[in-house]
Amino acid sequence: MTDAKSRIDETVKANDVVLYMKGTKEMPQCGFSSRVAGVLNYMGVAYKDVNVLADDEIRQGIKDYSDWPTIPQLYVKGEFVGGCDIITEMTLSGELDTLFEDNGVSYDKDAADKIRAANA
């Protein structure tokens, strides 16, 4: 196992929710990362953010780890969930709420409902 892969594996397994993104949750560096971080922040989800721009090994390693070509990438309870488009669709359909509920991840249901109402 490569160093990057083992570090990613450790991070994904040690945290309930992890977002590999460009930038940080406080200062995203791309629109797609900003959208996913914004959803998680607004919904009050506690998550670990990993800035792939700070580490080239992790930036490529996360794509190899998930076999997914783009960033951001969201993981819940060690499982890859998806990127920006998938998270957006899951948020609007309510699937993200279900995923969090099924995995015991705390989030603000009212905030999730407000996102859906604003995008209806």
Side-chain angles (χ1 to χ4, degrees):
M1 192 181 282
T2 66
D3 181 49
K5 186 175 180 189
S6 60
R7 287 191 293 151
I8 291 165
D9 202 50
E10 240 174 62
T11 301
V12 164
K13 289 178 178 167
N15 298 278
D16 287 348
V17 182
V18 181
L19 180 62
Y20 283 85
M21 62 183 293
K22 293 178 180 175
T24 64
K25 60 177 132 182
E26 295 86 12
M27 192 175 291
Q29 299 291 306
C30 90
F32 301 113
S33 291
S34 181
R35 178 179 293 176
V36 177
V39 165
L40 296 176
N41 292 342
Y42 189 76
M43 289 174 61
V45 176
Y47 67 98
K48 165 101 176 126
D49 57 333
V50 179
N51 181 2
V52 300
L53 299 178
D55 188 329
D56 284 340
E57 271 189 35
I58 296 296
R59 185 176 187 171
Q60 182 55 48
I62 194 62
K63 295 174 188 179
D64 297 338
Y65 183 83
S66 63
D67 198 25
W68 190 260
T70 60
I71 294 165
Q73 293 186 15
L74 182 68
Y75 291 79
V76 175
K77 294 286 186 166
E79 296 294 321
F80 175 60
V81 179
C84 183
D85 289 346
I86 291 169
I87 301 309
T88 300
E89 288 174 24
M90 289 179 73
T91 302
L92 297 178
S93 72
E95 287 177 85
L96 193 61
D97 299 40
T98 303
L99 178 70
F100 288 154
E101 288 163 6
D102 290 351
N103 285 284
V105 173
S106 176
Y107 74 101
D108 183 339
K109 176 84 170 130
D110 290 338
D113 289 340
K114 284 180 186 172
I115 292 170
R116 282 187 285 280
N119 289 280

